[in-house]
Amino acid sequence: MAAVSWKEVLLLTGLVVGCYWNSLSCGFVFDDVSAILDNKDLRPSTPLHNLFLNDFWGTPMAEERSHKSYRPLTVLTFRLNYLFSELSAASYHLLNVILHAVVCALFLRVSRLFLDRTSSLVAALLFAVHPIHTEAVTGVVGRAELLSSIFLLAAFLAYTKSTGADHSIVWAPIALTVVLVAAATLCKEQGITVVGICCVHEVFVAQKFTLPMLLDTLRQVLHGQNGFPYAVLQSLLKLIVLVISTLLLVIIRVQVIQSQLPVFTRFDNPAAVSPTPTRQLTFNYLLPVNAWLLLNPSELCCDWTMGTIPLVESLLDLRNLATLVFYTFLGLLAYHSLRYSHGSAKTAIMALSLIVLPFIPASNLFFPVGFVVAERVLYVPSMGFCVLVAHGFKIVSHKGHLRRISWLMIGVLLTTHAVKTFNRNWDWESEYTLFTSALKVNKNNAKLWNNVGHALENQNNYARALQYFLQATRVQPDDIGAHMNVGRTYKNLNRSKEAEDAYLVAKSLMPQVIPGKKYATRVAPNHLNVYINLANLIRANDSRLEEADQLYRQAISMRPDFKQAYISRGELLLKMSKLTEARDAYLRALELDRTNADLWYNLAIVNIEMKEPSEALKNFNHALELNPRHKLALFNSALLMQESGEPKFWPEANRRFLAYVEEEPDDANGYFNLGMLAMDANENAEAERWMRKAIGLQAGFRSALFNLALLYSQSKREMDALPVLDELLHYHPEHIKGLILKGDILMNHKKDTRGAKACFERILRMDPSNVQGKHNLCVVYFEERDLPRAERCLEETLALAPNEEYVRRHLIIVRSKMAAMSAAGHPLSSAGGAATSSKEEKPQRVGVGAEEVAEHREEGKGAGDDNGKGAGGEKNVRKSSSDSLRGVDQSESADSSQSDKRTKGKSTKEIKDIEKKREAALKRLEEIERILSGD
């Protein structure tokens, strides 16, 4: 057995790089989206042990919607990619190319066991360039095949060293084989089939049995004529150890999936739910289809589900001839391999074992799988195919007159395959290019039409996407997912009536009530989203909230563990002010998934509505324990701490706001609330810096502008406040409190009575019943010594607020002043409304009543919003927390303080602030009364 030279390794590596370098420019497409972009197990924030509890796609194995594909070692390599380059697709593709080169080198080493140096190199070169491998190498999720193949080949090589020179057992390679088999299985399930390959090698190659010899030996043993030879007993012992280890792996694997097979729909694999003999005829026909892809990989397709391969429903179907030819050829090859003991037969039997055994788990012959044909599962079987081709090349090339022709043919084969592979890589550049290339091969697959629509939808090209979704419904009228996609696209186009009609069609295709039948066994989880999406659509109409709730409850009745339904229903109940029921819905969802940070966040929002701030803070903290960078939980928990009025919470609130702005550096609300915290702590310089930052990010930020002006006013920097107020009133000319503050500064600090008067008059034009603006205008009239007008103004103010004693006292004082001046013969008003003498102390008006504080809490969104995508179903649905935030001025008016329909009690800090402001207002009133009472 010749070793592999470094020159051969370099040749293989160079060929792999030449064929696949353009794959580095490809993105994440098709299944990569679920396995990489949407898989939380890749994130460093997810505990490492979750990789061994969840499936390949990040779904807990215990959940029925799990695909039960348990590949933690493969996911671990994705996580390492994420650690070094996060979601840079190039690094993931680069590692796949490197792994493919490693597989090629190992395959060359294995081929040397059965072929000569030249033929084994031909086999490895053909394997390196075969176009069928594009999906496994260029598709990132194909890494499961690559890693599993590495461990599979390594396990086989280890096993071949388990026999000593004296035919004794060497146990170290056996132990290493068991470990490598386990590793191969933890990368992909088919890795366990290497045990069968080892058994075939031990019996037919190492012990040189033929089938007749084996049967004869067994007959003699059974009849007591002879015992097993010692060498055979040694082999038997090795195989028993290997098989027992394999059975333990199978038992562990069954325990991991909790003895449940995944639920697949008839759209994933139509033959799996077909009656006899359609099911058997179709599954057997798929074998020559796969063989043809290895022989002629000219038309490759990323998705062979649904109507790609029509069912074989009759024995008279001509496609049965292909099945017959395939089995005939396979049978003849197996007969030749098992009957004779020469080297050619041994090569053929090992090639057949590499083709057949690794393909069995994906063949549908023993249990259904979630696909009809998948090119990537041919990665290992193609090794046996390449061995057969190379062996045929060896036979032909040894015939002198065919030598040159055989080399020419193998050269043409390698060249055409390499070119095809290189060009095929470009199809995987994006989802749009991938699925449009698939449609060129097959136009009868509704899933492909759906996925082209999704690709266009991701580009916000909803009009074109709609055309593809509609075509999907024409190709497969009973495809629930296609009708859901149509509904979602109509919704994105703001065509709610058409959207509802499409959802109703999808709903009508759902299984009907069958007494005693368990829905969960018959309904694909994604299809239940039709109830969620329809409910989310109609609940925009407040008169249909009960109807929406009925849809959520229907989804839950069909599937009691449907977590998304509880989440969406909780949000609806919150909107309907059914707080106890909303809390119960979220608690039920948490029973199903206590690791969902969004659920804890939504529960905290319900606690706030129920006036349970301590419980709300506790649940916000739960969310942050699960996801320390949960943006909404960071913001709203910090806001809750700020609103509590407890200084002991301020440092932690500040830390959380800082963490929030790290996550959302362009959100002005985060900086504004940092500024408010600094104002509470009397850190005026910090407060000014944060307010300026907020205003810089969001021009015309009303709350930030007003509070910055108020900060300047309270810091004796009234002149700095005026340009800020001018900017505020430029964007928000109706801002009454801004006008009051500006009027105060103009009157008391700039001595600009005319400007102050304009501010107060402007307030009254917008709100004639504004008592504060009206009273301050009365003070301006007094400043102008126009006592009759001041009297009339105060009378009007008293009519607006008959219970305000200070207005009544001021009216009495003005009337007394007018009586005194009349008795003295003085005029009751200055000519032209002149201002008071500069020597006379000016009266003070009633100032701004309260600071503005931004409200920045938003109700959690339900997870059933229909903005996701997915072939045949709707994927990537929105999480329970809202994707966007908004700031609301709390003191703007009675309406704006409750713009999110939430009523809050007064905190201790608010009560203290009100008392302080009341005291300040009383002092100002006393001063006004003193001035009005004077001469």
Side-chain angles (χ1 to χ4, degrees), residues 777-796 810-823 826-836 840 843 928 931-935:
L777 183 61
C778 301
V779 176
V780 172
Y781 293 151
F782 179 83
E783 289 274 345
E784 294 177 340
R785 312 305 286 174
D786 191 344
L787 297 184
R789 194 170 185 184
E791 180 188 24
R792 290 194 301 275
C793 178
L794 286 168
E795 288 172 346
E796 293 170 2
H810 291 177
L811 179 58
I812 292 171
I813 292 170
V814 169
R815 286 174 175 170
S816 299
K817 184 75 172 178
M818 291 172 64
M821 293 180 69
S822 296
H826 295 158
L828 296 181
S829 61
S830 301
T836 54
E840 184 176 352
I928 291 172
I931 294 170
L932 290 174
S933 300
D935 291 333

Side-chain angles (χ1 to χ4, degrees), residues 322-336:
T323 307
L324 184 62
V325 170
F326 172 79
Y327 275 115
T328 300
F329 176 79
L330 190 66
L332 289 172
L333 191 59
Y335 175 81
H336 167 80

